[in-house]
Amino acid sequence: YRTFDDKTLEWSIDIPAEWDYYQDADKINKVVFKDYSTNSQLISDVNVTIYSIEDGMTLDKLIKQRDHELKEYYNTELVKVVKQEESEINGVRCIKMLLNIEYGDKAVYINDIYLFGTNYRYNIWYTAEESEYADMEKRDKLEHVLQTFKFSEPDPLEVGILIDPYSIALIDTSRKL
């Protein structure tokens, strides 16, 4: 493993040494690490996104919202919440949500983890094809990566507001930023 350390947003995670790092130059708050070493058509990956906490938002409210979105916008026969549990990562309360998504004859597992700091909220997750998820050694590797996530939170005056594009209501309203 190697430690990826984002000094601007003040977080770190241990990633397998052979994995590749991707970040859109326009989105400093989203990072993807990909494993191209498998023979799978679907590539295992670990993602980290960071957004500002909206007024009144809590971890529990975010999970309720996420549950609602999954039921409202996706076919519940194809996208299922396998397990949801409260846990901790490095002393910080989090909620884990394991999803199973059916793609015809293939299935993918996504392990979503949500954490809240004081000013920012963090979502880390991995994606794995069913065969990789069933392989305990490969799954443990992915789980280990998620468990190494740490953050200390940047100064919001230096970083500013990181808006979650999915939180913006697209109705006839105005939004004060």
Side-chain angles (χ1 to χ4, degrees):
Y1 293 92
R2 62 185 166 88
T3 300
F4 176 85
D5 190 8
D6 186 318
K7 297 200 184 314
T8 302
L9 296 179
E10 298 183 23
W11 63 270
S12 67
I13 194 167
D14 292 347
I15 297 296
E18 70 276 10
W19 284 30
D20 293 326
Y21 157 78
Y22 296 93
Q23 183 175 30
D24 186 330
D26 296 332
K27 298 178 185 174
I28 65 163
N29 58 326
K30 181 175 183 183
V31 175
V32 180
F33 303 94
K34 293 187 181 247
D35 177 12
Y36 287 108
S37 66
T38 66
N39 294 328
S40 172
Q41 289 179 329
L42 295 170
I43 305 299
S44 293
D45 60 17
V46 170
N47 298 262
V48 178
T49 57
I50 301 167
Y51 297 111
S52 297
I53 298 174
E54 297 90 358
D55 287 340
M57 182 58 74
T58 66
L59 179 57
D60 295 318
K61 285 181 183 178
L62 181 67
I63 295 303
K64 281 185 181 180
Q65 179 181 323
R66 182 75 172 131
D67 279 335
H68 174 74
E69 289 168 354
L70 287 169
K71 291 173 186 158
E72 184 73 21
Y73 300 116
Y74 297 97
N75 181 339
T76 56
E77 294 297 314
L78 301 176
V79 178
K80 296 176 183 157
V81 177
V82 176
K83 182 168 67 171
Q84 185 173 312
E85 65 184 357
E86 193 169 312
S87 188
E88 278 190 8
I89 292 182
N90 291 308
V92 178
R93 177 180 175 252
C94 67
I95 294 182
K96 297 179 179 183
M97 185 181 287
L98 179 64
L99 304 173
N100 175 280
I101 302 173
E102 298 289 331
Y103 289 103
D105 62 342
K106 294 189 186 283
V108 172
Y109 284 87
I110 298 174
N111 193 2
D112 252 335
I113 298 178
Y114 301 90
L115 306 101
F116 270 49
T118 304
N119 299 298
Y120 298 96
R121 59 183 170 91
Y122 305 82
N123 181 206
I124 55 175
W125 71 94
Y126 68 74
T127 305
E129 190 174 329
E130 186 173 31
S131 61
E132 288 185 83
Y133 186 80
D135 182 326
M136 288 305 293
E137 186 177 321
K138 290 179 181 179
R139 185 188 332 167
D140 286 346
K141 188 176 187 177
L142 291 166
E143 293 287 342
H144 171 76
V145 169
L146 297 185
Q147 293 300 315
T148 65
F149 181 77
K150 296 177 188 156
F151 68 91
S152 59
E153 285 219 330
D155 181 347
L157 296 176
E158 289 181 27
V159 172
I161 297 172
L162 302 174
I163 298 174
D164 180 353
Y166 297 108
S167 70
I168 300 172
L170 299 177
I171 56 176
D172 294 333
T173 63
S174 62
R175 181 173 177 152
K176 183 177 179 182
L177 300 177

